Amino acid sequence: MAPKAVVGRVSLYLRQLETFQRQGQTTISSSQLGAALAIHNAQVRKDLAFFGQFGYPGIGYRIEELIPALRRILGIDRDLPLALVGLGNLGRALLRYRGFRSRGFHIVALFDNDPQKVGRTHDGLVVEPIETMAKIVAARSVTLAVLSVPAEVAQRVADQMVACGILGIMNFAPIPLSVPPSVSVVAIDLSIQLEHLAYKVQNTQGGISYVG
Amino acid sequence: MAPKAVVGRVSLYLRQLETFQRQGQTTISSSQLGAALAIHNAQVRKDLAFFGQFGYPGIGYRIEELIPALRRILGIDRDLPLALVGLGNLGRALLRYRGFRSRGFHIVALFDNDPQKVGRTHDGLVVEPIETMAKIVAARSVTLAVLSVPAEVAQRVADQMVACGILGIMNFAPIPLSVPPSVSVVAIDLSIQLEHLAYKVQNTQGGISYVG
């Protein structure tokens, strides 16, 4: 499996290639791709070489070939149905987050245990009680889920998700989850990001970091 | 300036050292610290050596010395006042995010331009119009801000923040911001995290990644 930093850069390359494609470009060199992202061209070539041989001597990369190849590498070469568990403020904000849908992630199921929330409709989806998750997740072929419940219940809900066949959890609850080795978790710790911002400001070079 | 990955690990070391301290431990070796975080002890030593000489031969690191040193390195050795700009669902969720306050970040000012939101009180803070930001930010010594406004207005609001003297922006709007070189930005791109999760699930080794 490629290191997280490499996979993060592949996501950036893919976005940048899509931009070039929209602008009508058909081929691209590692230098052009790197320049657009402030990444050294040797790094671009090394990152892509991790996954295969994509370039052509004297031509560079063919954009219409490289885009689907990178989408396949990331596992986003098809629509990925997503469950959202926890419809508090954060959950509702994530429901409206445009970046998911534009990258092929479609929220197809909503779960919460709060009687005030169960039964409500958001964007045509009814909030279901967590107890019904196994049936719904199977019926809608969901393997990925976003967990946005309070810290106190996060582990218990995660256990239920794993039991229902969820294989990947994006965890926004500010506690570490314990899951079996077959399940992947990406934990979003916003306070670490804020510490990094404080560090950058203190060291005043400025500049922009993408968390990816 | 240290690479982002190193700074992220320093945040993790700091959290782990605080846990050890709560458990009554006074000294720690790089192996113990690394083992608790699944990081190789050579990496721990290298990361810390980037910032100075902290260990003692035959003793390891003195926890009560290392914790304040790491907080100083990160720039979080004092309370950091924070402004929150944009009180939509995401903004309100971030307002309640416990991880900020526990790391020394205190939200001391709220801004929004929606007349429905201006004037409301959250946790004792009144939502102020963005036009008043310059005065309030100066009076409350704010240099860091969280930006959680819609994509359409994010650049315009960021320009206003920069004009008000904000030096660090945590950007949740799903567009890249253009800021002067003296201003730091950490951009949270949740779709990149979700792509990473898809990649991990597709490559089924599982495991837990912390975004930091």
Side-chain angles (χ1 to χ4, degrees), chain A residues 2 11 15 73 89 96-98 103 152 177 181 185 187 190-193 195 199 202 205 207-209 211, chain B residues 2 11 15 73 89 96-98 103 152 177 181 185 187 190-191 193 195 199 202 205 207-209 211:
Chain A
S11 285
R15 279 162 178 68
I73 286 165
N89 279 318
R96 294 199 193 108
Y97 185 75
R98 295 183 221 168
R103 306 310 297 168
E152 307 82 68
L177 296 180
V185 175
L190 297 178
S191 63
I192 286 187
Q193 303 308 324
E195 287 183 10
Y199 173 80
Q202 176 168 265
Q205 278 96 329
I208 300 179
S209 294
V211 175
Chain B
S11 286
R15 281 162 177 67
I73 286 165
N89 280 317
R96 294 200 192 105
Y97 185 73
R98 294 184 224 168
R103 307 309 299 168
E152 308 83 69
L177 296 180
V185 175
L190 297 177
S191 63
Q193 303 308 324
E195 287 181 13
Y199 173 80
Q202 176 169 266
Q205 279 95 331
I208 300 179
S209 295
V211 174

Side-chain angles (χ1 to χ4, degrees), chain A residues 32-178:
Chain A
Q32 288 174 293
L33 183 53
L37 294 161
I39 296 171
H40 196 279
N41 59 35
Q43 181 74 65
V44 173
R45 286 195 298 274
K46 194 179 163 203
D47 287 340
L48 294 177
F50 189 96
F51 301 102
Q53 167 62 40
F54 299 108
Y56 296 91
I59 292 175
Y61 303 101
R62 292 191 210 274
I63 291 176
E64 67 168 10
E65 284 176 16
L66 192 51
I67 286 176
L70 298 189
R71 293 188 70 90
R72 207 153 45 232
I73 286 165
L74 291 171
I76 55 165
D77 52 335
R78 60 217 139 93
D79 261 19
L80 283 169
L82 202 65
L84 177 62
V85 186
L87 267 291
N89 279 318
L90 180 59
R92 291 199 304 276
L94 293 170
L95 189 53
R96 294 199 193 108
Y97 185 75
R98 295 183 221 168
F100 289 159
R101 181 157 296 219
S102 70
R103 306 310 297 168
F105 298 100
H106 286 87
I107 296 175
V108 300
L110 305 177
F111 298 98
D112 202 297
N113 268 348
D114 180 346
Q116 302 245 314
K117 288 171 187 154
V118 170
R120 286 205 186 184
T121 302
H122 298 271
D123 292 345
L125 290 173
V126 178
V127 180
E128 310 280 357
I130 292 175
E131 280 59 43
T132 66
M133 196 189 291
K135 210 177 60 183
I136 293 172
V137 154
R140 300 181 193 172
S141 308
V142 175
T143 54
L144 301 179
V146 173
L147 180 61
S148 53
V149 300
E152 307 82 68
V153 298
Q155 182 61 54
R156 187 165 57 78
V157 173
D159 292 344
Q160 291 176 280
M161 291 160 80
V162 169
C164 292
I166 294 291
L167 295 176
I169 300 174
M170 191 179 195
N171 178 33
F172 282 93
I175 60 150
L177 296 180
S178 154

